[in-house]
Amino acid sequence: AQSVTQLGSHVSVSEGALVLLRCNYSSSVPPYLFWYVQYPNQGLQLLLKYTSAATLVKGINGFEAEFKKSETSFHLTKPSAHMSDAAEYFCAVSSGGGADGLTFGKGTHLIIQP
Amino acid sequence: SAVISQKPSRDICQRGTSLTIQCQVDSQVTMMFWYRQQPGQSLTLIATANQGSEATYESGFVIDKFPISRPNLTFSTLTVSNMSPEDSSIYLCSVDWGQDTQYFGPGTRLTVL
């Protein structure tokens, strides 16, 4: 069984500040981990993925995430927030990459303060 | 990346009726998935649809309520049957694009009155 916990349903940061969105996972097998972003009234867009290669993964729009097995974490960061980053962010886990259904966390709503 | 379209983009339906949602991909894919996103909630996997075989449903979802078709490698439908207000959600399809990646369609926003 797999599960994902995202700490903080809402995170508010100032424009230009560091963005940190937390994700912890539980998996009985080596996991595949994903971050997706959902802008208002849109579908999901893949930000980045971890698939057992490099533990520090770089994605689109300046986001990156680090896989830490000892902490079962896959936190998402961005050095400097931009107003356009305001959206819902979902962490997801899979045991079979894209060939298995994804288990999603509850999501974190990122608010950017001007 | 995959280009995925869904029809309809949104609909308002009466309770007791059924709605069929279509998902079209611009390339052939083996695995397609259907998810539900209830208002203010995360995504939950409904079923996995492989071409040429019966869909595999997750716990809590049954074929009578959510029949799925997968007639070819670029198309799938999900029907929401005998709808009730609790079925009001966004329904999304996704595809396994290889390289350990799933891409999602834009979603179908369903409101049941």
Side-chain angles (χ1 to χ4, degrees), chain B residues 6-98:
Chain B
Q6 287 186 231
K7 291 181 180 180
S9 59
R10 59 178 62 225
D11 206 343
I12 301 174
C13 302
Q14 298 296 320
R15 68 168 66 214
T17 63
S18 298
L19 177 71
T20 295
I21 301 168
Q22 299 178 5
C23 179
Q24 179 78 51
V25 191
D26 66 339
S27 298
Q28 295 182 341
V29 294
T30 303
M31 312 280 290
M32 295 181 76
F33 307 87
W34 287 97
Y35 293 81
R36 181 176 72 182
Q37 186 178 21
Q38 294 177 300
Q41 303 296 316
S42 186
L43 284 81
T44 302
L45 180 66
I46 297 172
T48 301
N50 282 348
Q51 194 272 334
S53 62
E54 295 289 324
T56 303
Y57 289 82
E58 298 298 305
S59 176
F61 297 96
V62 295
I63 187 171
D64 289 346
K65 175 66 175 178
F66 297 102
I68 288 172
S69 77
R70 183 78 202 274
N72 57 52
L73 291 172
T74 62
F75 187 78
S76 178
T77 65
L78 169 76
T79 299
V80 186
S81 303
N82 188 24
M83 288 183 287
S84 67
E86 292 71 32
D87 294 319
S88 297
S89 297
I90 299 174
Y91 292 87
L92 300 101
C93 68
S94 73
V95 303
D96 172 23
W97 194 242

Side-chain angles (χ1 to χ4, degrees), chain A residues 32 34 36 38 41-44 46 49 51 90 97-102 104-106, chain B residues 10 31 33 35 37 41-43 45 48 92 96 99-106 109:
Chain A
Y32 294 77
F34 307 85
Y36 285 87
Q38 185 176 38
N41 299 314
Q42 295 188 28
L44 272 70
L46 179 66
K49 63 183 179 182
T51 59
F90 293 98
D100 277 352
L102 302 176
F104 283 85
K106 292 184 180 298
Chain B
R10 59 178 62 225
M31 312 280 290
F33 307 87
Y35 293 81
Q37 186 178 21
Q41 303 296 316
S42 186
L43 284 81
L45 180 66
T48 301
L92 300 101
D96 172 23
Q99 299 182 346
D100 304 313
T101 300
Q102 274 190 35
Y103 287 105
F104 284 78
R109 185 179 296 269

